[in-house]
Amino acid sequence: MTSKSNWKVNDLEEYIRSGKFKEGLSRCDTWLKKDPTNSGLLLCKATLLTQLGRTSESLEIYNVLCRRQPPITDVEQIKQIQYCVVGAKRAAGESLSSGEDIEYLWQTAIKTRKDGRTLCEEWFKFCAITETWQDAQKALILLRKYAPKDPQYLATYIAVSQLLAEIDPSPTSRKMCGDLAYKFITLLVNKTPKDPKAQKPDMFIRSMEELRLLIRIYRKQDRRKELLAILESPHIGIASDVARHGWEFVQTKLELLEEGEMWAELLESCRTLLQEGDTRLEQHRVGDLLPLHPEGDDWAVWKRLVLSTTKLNSADSTEMTRHFIDGWTSTHPRSRNASMASLHLLKNGTTRPLHHQQTQEKGHPNMVIPKLESHPSSQMRPVGSLANGEQFPYSSSTASVPSKPPEASAQIATSLLDACVQHFSRSCKTPSCFEDLRNFVEGLEREAQNAFRGHASSLRSEWQPSSASDESVYSHWLTVEMNSLKFDYLLCISGAQLDSKAVVEGFVSNCIGLYSMNISACATEPVTDASSGGEACLLAVMGLVKLHHFRSNEQDGSNKYLLQAACLLEHLLEHAEHSYQGKLILVHIYLSLGLGSLAMRWYHRLGLKEIQHDTLSHVLYTRMSSSHPFPVSRVGRSYLGDDETDPYVGMRKALKFHDGSSMKIAAIQSQVLEIKNYDQLYELRDLKVALEHSFTKRLMEEECRRIARLRGLVYEDAERKAASD
């Protein structure tokens, strides 16, 4: 291309960037009358026609360029033609191949070069970037001819074939590609030597990446039994030098047994894993050099232990699992997973309370299991209306236990309550206690829930220190207090239909009192979401929001409770500047109050990056065009950025992540030959599709258009988006 035509191409590219497609097409036609064979001008015209929706005309121009004699051999021009052809075909509904003409150009260019293998790899990379996987498959076939003994080309070919088997619109092509992927991966399995000292062939399963690829293909093609046999084999399975006892492969085996409903095998595998993991732990503890594997006290194993026992539904398996859990807890009394497994087993219908023999020796020294009756008021409550002995008029959910005779159901409910009380006594000093028990306690009857709350209050009284000087006891008491308050909110306030505000006001008063006490006692230490002080403040805010929605008898429509919640959060954020939960709740509250400028200020203090723009942008920008479409004055606040004061600029900044993410993911996909991430091709493509069709992206684009119309702005991508749509 001559230098004289270069400025013409640059001029036309400027028309394309600015969205002036009709003017650019008119100018391009004028120049083509004088130079009708200019490749650069023809490419620009084809691009302009595509943007204007005239796809068939643009494809005609691309076909002319592809069939030109002598053929184009300049790699950059071929890439440009392929990129434009893919864009035109994608607009017409075709996306996996750029066509035979583009393939002919690449193969012609490869034949004319001495470094044909390097250029062929470049062809594959560009196909991966444009996601023309059918062309990528052909490039890999050509690469295998250049280097038939190179394992990375075969592994990548298998991965691309399986990808086409999942996304190709043609059923015939999907079946053919799936059969190819299975055939070649099975060939690698069969060629893997069973003796590690034997001479190794050129092609075999040699890495974890290839094993993950094998698992993906077999699971997608529903070859569960074959995959289980491979995972159990000594030369390629979990215990082999390839997998090296990788926990991900152990989990895969458990998942396969669960999917195949092989409950007896799953139960035996879980018990074996727990026992072997515990044995290795003991060996490591006495100084043995064996590595400490993750098998053992892992919830993924315990969960399936309970599931398989429940599904088998036999007296022998249930009794065996009960004895196993009892033996484990006697050896490991602080095992959280074993305690949770016993609770799940009880909830699923086991009629004997687990850990009963440990009630006095393993729990709190003064632990008492209450009967199913109301309990006296606790002195820990400063507000009388929140006393534990009162009956709260809320709708309690029914106990989630299997349908059984009344006597059996009552025994299960009593056993489950006893187990919940014991677990609370053992773990009330840990922040995870509430999350462990909430689903079990919420399913109890109201009388049992009151009994549980009574026990929690008694522990609060026992742990209450005389002063804050003993930091250890004081810290434990704060955690016990917070766990009890969380259950109060769950059972008495959250989702409850209350007749009086006094209960909620008392709860808020308790939380604020605990928060103030913690701030005073720990003035030199930072407050966080995870600390008892930070959680108490957040619970108080939740109670105030509940009071705001409780104003059924108030005629003034006051927002005083939301304002109080906002002030409380502002105070918390002075002491805990990294409280992300507090910032998010404060954004919601300010938006509810119609204070969009304050909401934007706190939203941008979250410091969102990359994928967070997709997962959290809806918090602020939903209906932003109707609540706060105009920018905030920066008088006296020049230190603020444009995105902190102008919602339009903020949304455009967030949308840049979505615009750039597709290019970044495509670039990673194109590096599969270098980094050998064969198994990640599928996850990367799923992520790319999810981000391209993201609800948050669509929401912000629509809000940007609305704000642009309201403010008389020109939305940059509006015309281009309309044309492509």
Side-chain angles (χ1 to χ4, degrees), residues 11-34:
D11 197 8
L12 291 174
E13 289 176 350
E14 186 60 35
Y15 277 105
I16 295 172
R17 279 192 293 269
S18 61
K20 299 177 181 179
F21 307 125
K22 292 181 180 179
E23 295 88 338
L25 182 61
S26 176
R27 180 66 63 88
C28 185
D29 286 335
T30 302
W31 288 332
L32 278 172
K33 289 178 182 179
K34 299 179 181 179

Side-chain angles (χ1 to χ4, degrees), residues 615-654:
T615 56
L616 290 175
S617 290
H618 68 279
V619 172
L620 176 66
Y621 294 125
T622 302
R623 299 188 181 90
M624 181 57 75
S625 59
S626 57
S627 62
H628 198 285
F630 295 96
V632 181
S633 173
R634 296 175 62 182
V635 177
R637 292 179 291 181
S638 57
Y639 56 88
L640 296 176
D642 291 337
D643 57 325
E644 297 181 63
T645 57
D646 191 339
Y648 182 81
V649 176
M651 281 188 281
R652 296 293 294 164
K653 180 180 178 180

Side-chain angles (χ1 to χ4, degrees), residues 56-67:
S56 59
E57 297 178 50
S58 63
L59 284 175
E60 290 178 6
I61 296 175
Y62 293 135
N63 291 334
V64 169
L65 290 171
C66 292
R67 295 168 186 169

Side-chain angles (χ1 to χ4, degrees), residues 213-483:
L213 177 60
L214 180 150
I215 291 171
R216 171 78 182 200
I217 294 172
Y218 276 62
R219 295 189 74 170
K220 280 293 182 179
Q221 299 190 15
D222 198 22
R223 302 179 187 273
R224 190 178 297 110
K225 291 184 179 179
E226 295 178 54
L227 180 55
L228 278 171
I230 291 173
L231 291 176
E232 292 172 358
S233 65
H235 64 289
I236 195 176
I238 295 171
S240 68
D241 293 337
V242 178
R244 290 176 289 183
H245 290 280
W247 179 239
E248 58 180 305
F249 304 116
V250 176
Q251 283 187 307
T252 299
K253 178 183 175 181
L254 297 179
E255 291 167 3
L256 289 169
L257 292 172
E258 182 180 351
E259 292 169 5
E261 299 183 355
M262 303 164 71
W263 305 120
E265 294 85 349
L266 179 60
L267 177 61
E268 183 61 29
S269 296
C270 291
R271 292 180 67 247
T272 303
L273 280 170
L274 289 165
Q275 290 170 346
E276 290 179 353
D278 192 39
T279 302
R280 274 193 290 269
L281 178 63
E282 293 299 327
Q283 291 174 341
H284 181 79
R285 187 177 297 168
V286 297
D288 196 286
L289 298 178
L290 289 175
L292 180 61
H293 293 285
E295 301 102 314
D297 196 6
D298 190 288
W299 179 241
V301 182
W302 286 104
K303 176 178 66 175
R304 292 180 174 88
L305 178 76
V306 175
L307 175 65
S308 56
T309 302
T310 305
K311 292 293 185 180
L312 287 171
N313 196 24
S314 65
D316 291 340
S317 61
T318 302
E319 189 66 23
M320 179 180 65
T321 302
R322 283 206 307 256
H323 283 302
F324 181 84
I325 296 177
D326 287 342
W328 186 279
T329 51
S330 64
T331 309
H332 309 281
R334 301 181 66 180
S335 173
R336 177 187 175 194
N337 287 330
S339 181
M340 292 297 296
S342 70
L343 286 168
H344 280 281
L345 204 60
L346 278 171
K347 188 177 181 181
N348 292 340
T350 304
T351 57
R352 183 174 69 87
L354 301 177
H355 322 308
H356 183 73
Q357 71 278 11
Q358 303 173 28
T359 297
Q360 297 296 330
E361 59 186 12
K362 299 299 182 184
H364 191 274
N366 298 320
M367 180 179 65
V368 177
I369 301 177
K371 297 180 180 180
L372 296 181
E373 58 185 17
S374 300
H375 50 80
S377 176
S378 171
Q379 297 178 356
M380 293 296 295
R381 306 249 181 212
V383 180
S385 59
L386 204 60
N388 288 312
E390 298 186 9
Q391 297 297 318
F392 296 95
Y394 66 95
S395 300
S396 174
S397 59
T398 58
S400 55
V401 295
S403 177
K404 291 181 179 290
E407 297 80 5
S409 298
Q411 185 179 2
I412 291 173
T414 304
S415 300
L416 185 58
L417 173 63
D418 292 348
C420 289
V421 166
Q422 293 172 31
H423 184 92
F424 186 86
S425 299
R426 284 192 301 271
S427 59
C428 60
K429 302 186 296 295
T430 61
S432 62
C433 179
F434 173 74
E435 291 297 330
D436 289 348
L437 293 176
R438 61 175 300 176
N439 292 328
F440 302 103
V441 175
E442 197 173 12
L444 295 173
E445 297 290 345
R446 184 187 308 178
E447 192 177 7
Q449 289 175 350
N450 285 334
F452 178 83
R453 291 181 55 245
H455 177 71
S457 295
S458 66
L459 285 182
R460 292 164 61 185
S461 301
E462 293 175 12
W463 278 101
Q464 185 176 15
S466 56
S467 66
S469 57
D470 190 343
E471 295 183 2
S472 177
V473 176
Y474 182 75
S475 175
H476 287 162
W477 172 73
L478 282 176
T479 307
V480 175
E481 187 83 11
M482 272 309 307
N483 285 322

Side-chain angles (χ1 to χ4, degrees), residues 146-185:
Y146 278 106
K149 295 184 179 181
D150 196 327
Q152 63 177 346
Y153 295 148
L154 179 57
T156 309
Y157 177 78
I158 295 171
V160 172
S161 297
Q162 178 59 31
L163 181 61
L164 284 169
E166 298 177 19
I167 66 175
D168 199 302
S170 170
T172 305
S173 298
R174 285 201 303 270
K175 185 179 185 307
M176 182 185 69
C177 292
D179 291 343
L180 282 172
Y182 173 72
K183 172 186 174 182
F184 283 108
I185 199 69

Side-chain angles (χ1 to χ4, degrees), residues 29-92:
D29 286 335
T30 302
W31 288 332
L32 278 172
K33 289 178 182 179
K34 299 179 181 179
D35 189 4
T37 61
N38 188 296
S39 301
L41 294 178
L42 286 171
L43 281 172
C44 289
K45 181 177 180 179
T47 304
L48 289 163
L49 289 170
T50 301
Q51 294 295 338
L52 289 170
R54 296 157 64 176
T55 308
S56 59
E57 297 178 50
S58 63
L59 284 175
E60 290 178 6
I61 296 175
Y62 293 135
N63 291 334
V64 169
L65 290 171
C66 292
R67 295 168 186 169
R68 175 174 290 181
Q69 293 297 333
I72 299 173
T73 57
D74 182 75
V75 176
E76 294 304 319
Q77 282 198 7
I78 295 175
K79 287 183 179 180
Q80 189 176 359
I81 293 172
Q82 180 175 350
Y83 188 82
C84 296
V85 169
V86 170
K89 289 198 169 189
R90 197 154 287 165

Side-chain angles (χ1 to χ4, degrees), residues 552-567:
S552 56
N553 299 325
E554 297 182 8
Q555 303 297 326
D556 58 353
S558 172
N559 291 322
K560 60 181 181 181
Y561 294 119
L562 288 183
L563 289 171
Q564 291 171 5
C567 291

